[in-house]
Amino acid sequence: MKKLYISVKLNLILINVIIESSYPRKEGIIMDISIRPENENDFKIVENMIREAFWDLYKPGCVEHLIVHNMRESSDFVRGLDYVACDGNLIVGNIIYSKAKVINDKNEEFEVLCMGPLGVLPSYQKKGIGSLLMNYSIEKARQSGYKAIIIFGDPEYYKRFGFINNSEYDIQTSSGENFDAFMALELYNGSLRQVSGKFFASDSFETTEEELEIFEKEFPHKEKHVTETQFVN
């Protein structure tokens, strides 16, 4: 069994704590941002952008760009919900979804979505781009017939999109826990009414130090730093 770099739960929390609040703000809301599906020509550009967005934020360096890379190669990847935000031809944000499941005590499985990573280029943060990507992708997920979205993230941020704590639906983490950052959004009224049990995210959130070290060789060198925003393991 491969050694986890950090737990799936922690990876998801770090990915979905809203990063737009973690950098200095540039005044004004950008009004001409467009949203389109990501394509293969965007992959390395998006990975670079995600790397810039999360670098030194929650740990020295980051792992989120590797998670995005692994997610695209996973059977859990939802290609139809992979979007980029663009300022002209410049990609400034990305949101990605994967299939996840809730398993009840009768071993019945219910498919749901898991959102993340959500990343915005640092110079474009605090301009509403994360919200644009969230609202756009939520509506697309609803139109595609998915039941619900489950996330680990900042409650104060995600409640604006309708997310509430999973205790309202009797859904726990894979280890049987619940806490404020563990939230769900029904995509239609009552969609989680008959769903309960433990939540299991995609294995794509699992990474190793060795895997990250090899992947980092594909990118320009960046110095790692310890900062006040980082979590202590």
Side-chain angles (χ1 to χ4, degrees):
M1 181 181 298
K2 76 175 181 178
K3 182 180 179 182
L4 300 187
Y5 171 61
I6 47 180
S7 70
V8 171
K9 179 177 77 176
L10 184 56
N11 263 334
L12 284 163
I13 292 173
L14 300 189
I15 286 166
N16 293 324
V17 172
I18 181 61
I19 66 173
E20 290 193 33
S21 62
S22 301
Y23 290 84
R25 178 175 183 137
K26 285 190 173 183
E27 293 301 324
I29 303 298
I30 297 177
M31 302 303 293
D32 58 351
I33 296 297
S34 60
I35 297 177
R36 64 167 174 80
E38 184 188 36
N39 60 60
E40 290 186 12
N41 294 329
D42 302 323
F43 286 178
K44 188 55 67 176
I45 297 170
V46 167
E47 289 164 11
N48 267 297
M49 186 273 298
I50 293 292
R51 185 173 181 253
E52 291 296 319
F54 285 94
W55 193 260
D56 285 343
L57 186 56
Y58 299 123
K59 64 182 293 293
C62 67
V63 70
E64 287 77 9
H65 56 316
L66 174 57
I67 292 173
V68 167
H69 177 82
N70 289 346
M71 189 76 71
R72 296 196 200 97
E73 298 182 354
S74 168
S75 60
D76 297 324
F77 175 50
V78 183
R79 184 172 298 278
L81 293 175
D82 177 16
Y83 294 103
V84 292
C86 301
D87 183 9
N89 293 323
L90 176 66
I91 293 176
V92 299
N94 174 243
I95 193 167
I96 191 170
Y97 286 79
S98 53
K99 294 177 183 177
K101 57 190 175 183
V102 176
I103 304 178
N104 65 17
D105 54 9
K106 297 179 182 178
N107 210 35
E108 297 172 321
E109 294 189 8
F110 305 90
E111 184 180 274
V112 294
L113 291 172
C114 180
M115 187 281 294
L118 163 62
V120 177
L121 198 65
S123 60
Y124 280 79
Q125 290 169 7
K126 301 276 303 174
K127 294 177 180 293
I129 294 171
S131 293
L132 283 175
L133 285 165
M134 282 296 301
N135 286 321
Y136 187 88
S137 61
I138 287 171
E139 182 57 32
K140 291 296 184 181
R142 182 177 289 115
Q143 293 173 6
S144 297
Y146 288 101
K147 186 183 297 290
I149 302 169
I150 292 181
I151 64 169
F152 295 84
D154 179 4
E156 289 304 307
Y157 179 76
Y158 286 100
K159 69 181 183 182
R160 73 183 67 176
F161 307 108
F163 285 88
I164 62 175
N165 189 266
N166 272 300
S167 61
E168 298 291 330
Y169 303 113
D170 195 22
I171 296 173
Q172 301 87 42
T173 67
S174 59
S175 57
E177 300 174 277
N178 205 317
F179 39 84
D180 290 345
F182 184 46
M183 294 174 288
L185 172 68
E186 289 187 322
L187 291 176
Y188 56 88
N189 188 41
S191 63
L192 290 175
R193 190 172 298 141
Q194 303 300 319
V195 177
S196 65
K198 294 182 177 180
F199 170 75
F200 295 87
S202 171
D203 290 342
S204 301
F205 291 99
E206 301 175 4
T207 62
T208 65
E209 285 280 12
E210 295 77 14
E211 191 180 7
L212 180 60
E213 183 178 350
I214 292 170
F215 188 61
E216 267 294 299
K217 293 178 181 178
E218 300 180 18
F219 299 86
H221 174 73
K222 285 177 69 73
E223 292 292 334
K224 299 177 182 179
H225 305 91
V226 176
T227 72
E228 294 180 355
T229 65
Q230 293 169 6
F231 287 73
V232 178
N233 290 328

